[in-house]
Structures are given as C-alpha cells and as structure tokens.
Amino acid sequence: MTGRQVVFGFGAHSGFEDGPELLRRVERADADGLDLFSLSDHPYLGARLDAYASLGFLLGRTRRIAGFANVTNLPTRPAPVLARTVTTLSALSGGRVVLGMGAGGLWDRIADMGVPKLSPGEAVEAFEEAIVLIKKLSGGGPPVTHQGRHYQVRELETTPVAAPPVWTGSNGPKSLAVTGRVADGWIPGHAADWLSERYRTSRPVIDEAAASVGRDPGEIRTVYNLPGRITERPLAATRDGEGRWIGGSAEQWVEELTGAVLEHDASGFVLFSPGGGAQDVDALARWGGEIVPAVREALAKERG
C-alpha cells in the first residue's frame, strides 16, 4: 500500500474452523471497497490458522484489498526469510500487503517453539535490526552483507521488489523510538485511541526519534485497532468512564472517526468486535457499506 489516504479495514483472529467464514468476510470487504484486513500471528497456538499462509491465500482470492499480520511475531520469523516472504506477497498481489512488526510479547510461548528467549532490551534491538535488514534486502541493489548482533548475512542477494510499508505495534519508549527511526506506521497497543493517555504520551516519542534522524514525523501514520459496537440507535455515551470508545450508531461512528482524522491526524482504522475478535457479519456489512463511505464523503467535503 502506498500514499497517505485514510485507510479502513477489519481484523480477525481465525481458527481452522473459521477458514470458510474468513474467506467470505474478506471477499465481502474487498467488494465493499475496504482497504485492508488483518490477521493475528500466534504460531505457537495450534488451533489458529498461520497468518502468512492465510495472507497468501486470501490475497489470491481478492482484487483490491490489502492484508497484513497485526503484528508479525518476529522472533519466530527470521528477518531474511521474512523479507523474501513479504516481497513475494507484494509482487504477486500488486503491492497489496503491509508488514506489521512486533518485537515479541509472549516470550514463554515463543520459547516453547525453540526460539532463544531474549530480554526486553535485546528483543527491541533485534526488532530494529530486523526492520533495517528487511529494507536492505528489498528493492534491488548489490548483495547485502550484514554483521549485526542478532542477524548475520553474507553476500545475500536482494529482491527486485521494494519492501512493503512497515507498521509496528510498539509500546515501550525504546520500541517507540525504533518506530520513529525506521518504520512507516504505528498501531497503538491495547486498542488505545486518539484520546487515550497512551497515545498522548507515546506519539511524541515517535516524532522526536524521527526528527533526530532527519525524518519527517508526519510521514509515520497512526493506524488504530478500534473495537466497538455498531448500534441501531444512538448511545447516550459513546465512551466509558475511562474515556475508551465503546461504539454507537452509524452516525456517531462517522462523527467520531471524521473528527479523529481532522483533529488528531488519524490515518487508519481496523475494526474489531468489542471482545477483540472479528465483528459479526451484520456489523461488518454496516462498517464497509455504510460507515466507511460516509466518513470518506465527510472528509472529502471538509478537505474541499
């Protein structure tokens, strides 16, 4: 995906039994004009579909929509191999892929797969080194030799296709600074939104790190994982006592998302159910067929 248009998508956590329904939902989202779908990446969970195998299959069954792992479990997917995977998906799909990246969170489960356990500091180092190496190995150019702390490659050929945009799920200060230095987008953790304390305290860390290496902070988009109910009638309050978005009618969603873009520079929304999984079919149909078109229309009017 390219450009800075506001993007809209939906997320799913899919088990093997959910495969046919996942395909139907992605095909419907593609037909409705949504921009992307996301899949969770937890390879240590045997009941879950593999994220990257699923991405390849679903991109092959669609025409316009992009896909990404939200976010890639990096410790179980070595950077040089991941570079080959995402550039291949990009080449075959016409650029319809994003590289969601995380440093790794559930280290006890990750270690169960035979991956050496890293300290939090080491995981962030490996995270930054992986993003840099993936970009080096993409887009053509001479063979790459890289002798880092966590990755070593020698005279490795690059792929002719550029790496897709990299969106991170950074949380801590060091990881947020990595996003500012080397990534293209940020997905705030714990479904934090534009009015949250997490956003207010985290985004400046990204911006300062970007500026410190000569990057324009405005080029790093913020894309929100956004759970909430879509109701038939307006709710008296669209946020709970802690200020977290809980949903509302289609009109309330449109007003909230339009304001998030115009007033808080939001550049993307990935819809989840209030429980964190995929929305039901009716809600997803209203999201793609009613709310998203209305937000796009409102933004077009505001921007002239």
Side-chain angles (χ1 to χ4, degrees):
M1 295 179 66
T2 59
R4 284 304 312 270
Q5 80 277 10
V6 180
V7 295
F8 299 88
F10 81 99
H13 305 301
S14 297
F16 278 84
E17 72 282 1
D18 303 316
E21 180 59 31
L22 174 63
L23 174 59
R24 284 191 290 271
R25 292 186 183 204
V26 173
E27 289 178 331
R28 172 64 185 267
D30 190 40
D32 284 343
L34 290 182
D35 299 294
L36 72 162
F37 65 92
S38 78
L39 303 174
S40 60
D41 186 24
H42 298 289
Y44 36 76
L45 299 179
R48 292 277 181 90
L49 291 167
D50 177 77
Y52 276 91
S54 300
L55 282 174
F57 178 79
L58 294 168
L59 290 172
R61 294 290 294 266
T62 51
R63 300 181 62 185
R64 179 184 177 276
I65 197 167
F68 75 113
N70 188 359
V71 291
T72 303
N73 191 289
L74 173 63
T76 61
R77 301 184 186 274
V81 177
L82 186 57
R84 303 299 197 230
T85 301
V86 295
T87 54
T88 297
L89 287 172
S90 183
L92 294 176
S93 69
R96 294 185 293 121
V97 65
V98 173
L99 175 54
M101 288 284 279
L106 301 177
W107 273 99
D108 288 340
R109 299 305 312 274
I110 292 170
D112 290 342
M113 298 189 73
V115 177
K117 191 172 184 178
L118 300 180
S119 69
E122 290 171 332
V124 172
E125 288 176 351
F127 172 62
E128 181 166 15
E129 192 177 329
I131 295 173
V132 171
L133 181 55
I134 288 169
K135 292 187 175 184
K136 282 183 178 180
L137 290 171
S138 308
V144 171
T145 295
H146 176 92
Q147 295 296 321
R149 180 177 179 184
H150 300 278
Y151 295 100
Q152 299 84 38
V153 300
R154 189 173 71 86
E155 292 294 305
L156 197 59
E157 293 181 1
T158 62
T159 67
V161 176
V166 177
W167 298 353
T168 76
S170 296
N171 286 307
K174 291 182 178 179
S175 182
L176 290 165
V178 171
T179 297
R181 287 193 294 266
V182 299
D184 307 296
W186 173 51
I187 306 167
H190 305 284
D193 66 28
W194 46 95
L195 297 184
S196 68
E197 181 67 16
R198 180 178 294 274
Y199 174 80
R200 287 194 295 269
T201 58
S202 297
R203 182 67 208 206
V205 178
I206 294 173
D207 294 347
E208 290 168 11
S212 73
V213 295
R215 302 185 68 198
D216 177 3
E219 293 181 355
I220 304 169
R221 62 166 70 229
T222 305
V223 179
Y224 296 93
N225 287 337
L226 190 62
R229 293 185 294 135
I230 301 174
T231 60
E232 291 294 333
R233 298 178 180 275
L235 298 182
T238 56
R239 292 181 176 271
D240 63 19
E242 298 180 352
R244 182 181 291 271
W245 173 254
I246 58 175
S249 66
E251 292 79 9
Q252 288 174 316
W253 277 87
V254 171
E255 180 180 5
E256 187 74 22
L257 299 189
T258 303
V261 175
L262 297 176
E263 299 168 19
H264 303 282
D265 201 29
S267 58
F269 308 95
V270 180
L271 181 71
F272 284 89
S273 76
Q279 285 279 5
D280 63 48
V281 174
D282 291 340
L284 186 58
R286 294 191 68 194
W287 171 249
E290 182 179 355
I291 294 172
V292 170
V295 175
R296 287 174 173 158
E297 182 179 358
L299 292 173
K301 288 181 179 179
E302 289 290 337
R303 291 170 168 173

Short mmCIF file of all heavy atoms in Angstrom, two decimals, residues 222-262:
data_model
loop_
_atom_site.label_atom_id
_atom_site.label_comp_id
_atom_site.label_asym_id
_atom_site.label_seq_id
_atom_site.Cartn_x
_atom_site.Cartn_y
_atom_site.Cartn_z
N THR A 222 -0.50 6.85 11.90
CA THR A 222 -1.05 6.16 13.07
C THR A 222 -2.33 5.46 12.65
O THR A 222 -3.27 6.09 12.18
CB THR A 222 -1.35 7.14 14.22
OG1 THR A 222 -0.17 7.88 14.53
CG2 THR A 222 -1.77 6.36 15.46
N VAL A 223 -2.35 4.14 12.81
CA VAL A 223 -3.49 3.31 12.42
C VAL A 223 -4.01 2.62 13.69
O VAL A 223 -3.23 1.99 14.41
CB VAL A 223 -3.07 2.26 11.37
CG1 VAL A 223 -4.26 1.38 11.00
CG2 VAL A 223 -2.50 2.95 10.13
N TYR A 224 -5.29 2.74 13.93
CA TYR A 224 -5.85 2.28 15.20
C TYR A 224 -6.59 0.96 15.05
O TYR A 224 -7.44 0.81 14.16
CB TYR A 224 -6.82 3.33 15.74
CG TYR A 224 -6.16 4.64 16.08
CD1 TYR A 224 -6.11 5.66 15.15
CD2 TYR A 224 -5.58 4.85 17.33
CE1 TYR A 224 -5.50 6.88 15.45
CE2 TYR A 224 -4.95 6.05 17.63
CZ TYR A 224 -4.92 7.06 16.69
OH TYR A 224 -4.31 8.25 16.98
N ASN A 225 -6.28 0.02 15.94
CA ASN A 225 -7.15 -1.13 16.15
C ASN A 225 -8.31 -0.64 17.00
O ASN A 225 -8.11 -0.18 18.13
CB ASN A 225 -6.41 -2.25 16.89
CG ASN A 225 -5.41 -2.97 16.01
OD1 ASN A 225 -5.51 -2.96 14.79
ND2 ASN A 225 -4.43 -3.61 16.63
N LEU A 226 -9.52 -0.69 16.45
CA LEU A 226 -10.64 0.00 17.08
C LEU A 226 -11.81 -0.94 17.33
O LEU A 226 -12.61 -1.20 16.44
CB LEU A 226 -11.07 1.16 16.18
CG LEU A 226 -12.08 2.15 16.77
CD1 LEU A 226 -11.49 2.84 17.99
CD2 LEU A 226 -12.48 3.18 15.73
N PRO A 227 -11.95 -1.44 18.56
CA PRO A 227 -13.13 -2.25 18.87
C PRO A 227 -14.32 -1.36 19.23
O PRO A 227 -14.15 -0.22 19.69
CB PRO A 227 -12.67 -3.07 20.08
CG PRO A 227 -11.66 -2.19 20.75
CD PRO A 227 -10.99 -1.40 19.67
N GLY A 228 -15.50 -1.87 19.03
CA GLY A 228 -16.69 -1.12 19.42
C GLY A 228 -17.94 -1.71 18.79
O GLY A 228 -17.88 -2.41 17.78
N ARG A 229 -19.09 -1.42 19.39
CA ARG A 229 -20.38 -1.89 18.87
C ARG A 229 -20.94 -0.91 17.86
O ARG A 229 -20.76 0.30 17.98
CB ARG A 229 -21.38 -2.05 20.02
CG ARG A 229 -21.05 -3.14 21.01
CD ARG A 229 -22.17 -3.29 22.03
NE ARG A 229 -22.29 -2.10 22.87
CZ ARG A 229 -23.44 -1.50 23.18
NH1 ARG A 229 -24.59 -1.97 22.69
NH2 ARG A 229 -23.46 -0.43 23.96
N ILE A 230 -21.60 -1.44 16.86
CA ILE A 230 -22.35 -0.60 15.92
C ILE A 230 -23.82 -0.84 16.22
O ILE A 230 -24.34 -1.95 15.99
CB ILE A 230 -22.02 -0.96 14.46
CG1 ILE A 230 -20.52 -0.78 14.20
CG2 ILE A 230 -22.82 -0.11 13.50
CD1 ILE A 230 -20.06 -1.26 12.83
N THR A 231 -24.48 0.16 16.77
CA THR A 231 -25.85 0.01 17.27
C THR A 231 -26.86 0.61 16.30
O THR A 231 -26.54 1.47 15.48
CB THR A 231 -25.99 0.69 18.64
OG1 THR A 231 -25.67 2.09 18.51
CG2 THR A 231 -25.02 0.05 19.64
N GLU A 232 -28.11 0.16 16.43
CA GLU A 232 -29.18 0.70 15.60
C GLU A 232 -29.53 2.11 16.02
O GLU A 232 -29.81 2.98 15.19
CB GLU A 232 -30.41 -0.20 15.68
CG GLU A 232 -30.23 -1.55 15.02
CD GLU A 232 -30.04 -1.44 13.52
OE1 GLU A 232 -30.55 -0.45 12.92
OE2 GLU A 232 -29.40 -2.33 12.93
N ARG A 233 -29.54 2.37 17.32
CA ARG A 233 -29.91 3.69 17.85
C ARG A 233 -28.68 4.37 18.47
O ARG A 233 -27.77 3.69 18.93
CB ARG A 233 -31.01 3.55 18.91
CG ARG A 233 -32.31 2.95 18.38
CD ARG A 233 -33.32 2.80 19.49
NE ARG A 233 -34.57 2.23 19.01
CZ ARG A 233 -35.55 2.95 18.47
NH1 ARG A 233 -35.41 4.27 18.37
NH2 ARG A 233 -36.65 2.36 18.05
N PRO A 234 -28.67 5.69 18.51
CA PRO A 234 -27.56 6.39 19.15
C PRO A 234 -27.45 6.02 20.63
O PRO A 234 -28.46 5.78 21.30
CB PRO A 234 -27.93 7.87 18.98
CG PRO A 234 -28.88 7.90 17.83
CD PRO A 234 -29.65 6.62 17.90
N LEU A 235 -26.23 5.97 21.13
CA LEU A 235 -25.99 5.73 22.55
C LEU A 235 -25.89 7.06 23.28
O LEU A 235 -25.41 8.06 22.72
CB LEU A 235 -24.69 4.95 22.74
CG LEU A 235 -24.62 3.54 22.14
CD1 LEU A 235 -23.28 2.90 22.49
CD2 LEU A 235 -25.76 2.67 22.63
N ALA A 236 -26.33 7.06 24.53
CA ALA A 236 -26.23 8.28 25.34
C ALA A 236 -24.77 8.67 25.56
O ALA A 236 -24.44 9.85 25.65
CB ALA A 236 -26.94 8.07 26.68
N ALA A 237 -23.89 7.67 25.65
CA ALA A 237 -22.46 7.93 25.81
C ALA A 237 -21.70 6.96 24.92
O ALA A 237 -21.94 5.74 24.97
CB ALA A 237 -22.04 7.75 27.26
N THR A 238 -20.81 7.48 24.09
CA THR A 238 -20.04 6.63 23.18
C THR A 238 -18.69 6.22 23.78
O THR A 238 -17.95 5.46 23.16
CB THR A 238 -19.79 7.35 21.85
OG1 THR A 238 -19.13 8.60 22.11
CG2 THR A 238 -21.10 7.61 21.13
N ARG A 239 -18.39 6.70 24.97
CA ARG A 239 -17.16 6.31 25.67
C ARG A 239 -17.50 5.92 27.10
O ARG A 239 -18.46 6.43 27.68
CB ARG A 239 -16.13 7.45 25.65
CG ARG A 239 -15.59 7.72 24.25
CD ARG A 239 -14.56 8.84 24.21
NE ARG A 239 -14.03 8.96 22.85
CZ ARG A 239 -12.98 8.30 22.39
NH1 ARG A 239 -12.31 7.49 23.20
NH2 ARG A 239 -12.58 8.45 21.15
N ASP A 240 -16.68 5.00 27.65
CA ASP A 240 -16.94 4.54 29.01
C ASP A 240 -16.36 5.52 30.03
O ASP A 240 -15.86 6.60 29.67
CB ASP A 240 -16.40 3.13 29.21
CG ASP A 240 -14.89 3.02 29.05
OD1 ASP A 240 -14.19 4.06 29.13
OD2 ASP A 240 -14.40 1.90 28.84
N GLY A 241 -16.43 5.14 31.31
CA GLY A 241 -15.96 6.02 32.37
C GLY A 241 -14.48 6.34 32.30
O GLY A 241 -14.04 7.36 32.84
N GLU A 242 -13.72 5.49 31.63
CA GLU A 242 -12.29 5.73 31.48
C GLU A 242 -11.96 6.42 30.17
O GLU A 242 -10.78 6.60 29.84
CB GLU A 242 -11.54 4.40 31.58
CG GLU A 242 -11.70 3.71 32.93
CD GLU A 242 -10.96 2.39 33.00
OE1 GLU A 242 -10.45 1.94 31.95
OE2 GLU A 242 -10.87 1.83 34.11
N GLY A 243 -13.00 6.80 29.42
CA GLY A 243 -12.77 7.52 28.17
C GLY A 243 -12.52 6.66 26.96
O GLY A 243 -12.18 7.17 25.89
N ARG A 244 -12.71 5.35 27.08
CA ARG A 244 -12.47 4.45 25.96
C ARG A 244 -13.70 4.36 25.06
O ARG A 244 -14.82 4.23 25.54
CB ARG A 244 -12.10 3.05 26.48
CG ARG A 244 -11.78 2.04 25.37
CD ARG A 244 -11.46 0.69 25.97
NE ARG A 244 -10.19 0.71 26.67
CZ ARG A 244 -9.02 0.47 26.10
NH1 ARG A 244 -8.96 0.16 24.81
NH2 ARG A 244 -7.91 0.52 26.80
N TRP A 245 -13.47 4.42 23.76
CA TRP A 245 -14.56 4.32 22.78
C TRP A 245 -15.25 2.98 22.90
O TRP A 245 -14.61 1.92 22.93
CB TRP A 245 -13.98 4.50 21.38
CG TRP A 245 -14.95 4.26 20.26
CD1 TRP A 245 -15.00 3.17 19.44
CD2 TRP A 245 -16.00 5.14 19.83
NE1 TRP A 245 -16.03 3.32 18.53
CE2 TRP A 245 -16.65 4.51 18.74
CE3 TRP A 245 -16.45 6.38 20.26
CZ2 TRP A 245 -17.73 5.09 18.08
CZ3 TRP A 245 -17.52 6.96 19.61
CH2 TRP A 245 -18.15 6.32 18.53
N ILE A 246 -16.60 3.00 22.98
CA ILE A 246 -17.36 1.76 23.07
C ILE A 246 -18.28 1.57 21.88
O ILE A 246 -18.86 0.51 21.70
CB ILE A 246 -18.18 1.68 24.37
CG1 ILE A 246 -19.14 2.87 24.48
CG2 ILE A 246 -17.25 1.61 25.58
CD1 ILE A 246 -20.07 2.79 25.69
N GLY A 247 -18.44 2.61 21.03
CA GLY A 247 -19.27 2.48 19.84
C GLY A 247 -20.49 3.37 19.88
O GLY A 247 -20.59 4.31 20.68
N GLY A 248 -21.43 3.07 19.00
CA GLY A 248 -22.64 3.87 18.89
C GLY A 248 -23.31 3.60 17.56
O GLY A 248 -23.01 2.63 16.87
N SER A 249 -24.20 4.49 17.20
CA SER A 249 -24.90 4.36 15.92
C SER A 249 -23.94 4.69 14.78
O SER A 249 -22.85 5.23 14.99
CB SER A 249 -26.08 5.32 15.88
OG SER A 249 -25.62 6.67 15.88
N ALA A 250 -24.38 4.39 13.56
CA ALA A 250 -23.55 4.69 12.40
C ALA A 250 -23.20 6.17 12.36
O ALA A 250 -22.05 6.55 12.07
CB ALA A 250 -24.27 4.27 11.12
N GLU A 251 -24.16 7.03 12.67
CA GLU A 251 -23.91 8.48 12.65
C GLU A 251 -22.87 8.86 13.70
O GLU A 251 -22.02 9.73 13.45
CB GLU A 251 -25.21 9.24 12.91
CG GLU A 251 -26.23 9.13 11.79
CD GLU A 251 -27.00 7.80 11.82
OE1 GLU A 251 -26.86 7.03 12.80
OE2 GLU A 251 -27.74 7.54 10.84
N GLN A 252 -22.91 8.22 14.86
CA GLN A 252 -21.93 8.52 15.90
C GLN A 252 -20.54 8.03 15.51
O GLN A 252 -19.53 8.71 15.78
CB GLN A 252 -22.37 7.90 17.23
CG GLN A 252 -23.55 8.62 17.84
CD GLN A 252 -24.10 7.93 19.07
OE1 GLN A 252 -24.26 6.69 19.09
NE2 GLN A 252 -24.39 8.70 20.11
N TRP A 253 -20.46 6.89 14.86
CA TRP A 253 -19.17 6.42 14.35
C TRP A 253 -18.61 7.40 13.33
O TRP A 253 -17.42 7.74 13.36
CB TRP A 253 -19.33 5.04 13.70
CG TRP A 253 -19.31 3.88 14.65
CD1 TRP A 253 -20.37 3.36 15.32
CD2 TRP A 253 -18.17 3.08 15.00
NE1 TRP A 253 -19.96 2.28 16.08
CE2 TRP A 253 -18.63 2.08 15.89
CE3 TRP A 253 -16.83 3.10 14.63
CZ2 TRP A 253 -17.77 1.13 16.44
CZ3 TRP A 253 -15.97 2.14 15.17
CH2 TRP A 253 -16.44 1.17 16.07
N VAL A 254 -19.45 7.85 12.42
CA VAL A 254 -18.98 8.76 11.36
C VAL A 254 -18.45 10.05 11.98
O VAL A 254 -17.37 10.55 11.61
CB VAL A 254 -20.11 9.06 10.36
CG1 VAL A 254 -19.70 10.16 9.39
CG2 VAL A 254 -20.49 7.79 9.60
N GLU A 255 -19.18 10.59 12.93
CA GLU A 255 -18.74 11.83 13.57
C GLU A 255 -17.41 11.63 14.31
O GLU A 255 -16.49 12.46 14.20
CB GLU A 255 -19.81 12.31 14.56
CG GLU A 255 -19.44 13.60 15.27
CD GLU A 255 -20.52 14.06 16.25
OE1 GLU A 255 -21.51 13.32 16.43
OE2 GLU A 255 -20.36 15.15 16.82
N GLU A 256 -17.29 10.52 15.02
CA GLU A 256 -16.08 10.27 15.80
C GLU A 256 -14.86 10.05 14.90
O GLU A 256 -13.79 10.61 15.13
CB GLU A 256 -16.28 9.04 16.69
CG GLU A 256 -15.15 8.77 17.67
CD GLU A 256 -15.12 9.75 18.83
OE1 GLU A 256 -16.18 10.36 19.12
OE2 GLU A 256 -14.06 9.91 19.45
N LEU A 257 -15.00 9.24 13.86
CA LEU A 257 -13.86 8.94 13.00
C LEU A 257 -13.45 10.14 12.16
O LEU A 257 -12.26 10.38 11.94
CB LEU A 257 -14.18 7.75 12.10
CG LEU A 257 -14.49 6.43 12.80
CD1 LEU A 257 -14.56 5.30 11.77
CD2 LEU A 257 -13.49 6.10 13.89
N THR A 258 -14.43 10.91 11.71
CA THR A 258 -14.11 12.11 10.95
C THR A 258 -13.32 13.09 11.82
O THR A 258 -12.32 13.67 11.38
CB THR A 258 -15.39 12.78 10.43
OG1 THR A 258 -16.13 11.85 9.63
CG2 THR A 258 -15.06 14.00 9.59
N GLY A 259 -13.75 13.25 13.06
CA GLY A 259 -13.01 14.11 13.98
C GLY A 259 -11.62 13.59 14.29
O GLY A 259 -10.67 14.37 14.43
N ALA A 260 -11.49 12.28 14.39
CA ALA A 260 -10.17 11.69 14.67
C ALA A 260 -9.18 12.02 13.56
O ALA A 260 -8.00 12.29 13.81
CB ALA A 260 -10.30 10.18 14.83
N VAL A 261 -9.66 12.01 12.31
CA VAL A 261 -8.78 12.33 11.18
C VAL A 261 -8.46 13.81 11.14
O VAL A 261 -7.30 14.22 11.04
CB VAL A 261 -9.43 11.87 9.86
CG1 VAL A 261 -8.57 12.32 8.67
CG2 VAL A 261 -9.61 10.36 9.84
N LEU A 262 -9.49 14.65 11.23
CA LEU A 262 -9.30 16.09 11.04
C LEU A 262 -8.64 16.77 12.23
O LEU A 262 -7.87 17.72 12.06
CB LEU A 262 -10.65 16.75 10.76
CG LEU A 262 -11.37 16.29 9.48
CD1 LEU A 262 -12.73 16.95 9.38
CD2 LEU A 262 -10.53 16.61 8.25
#
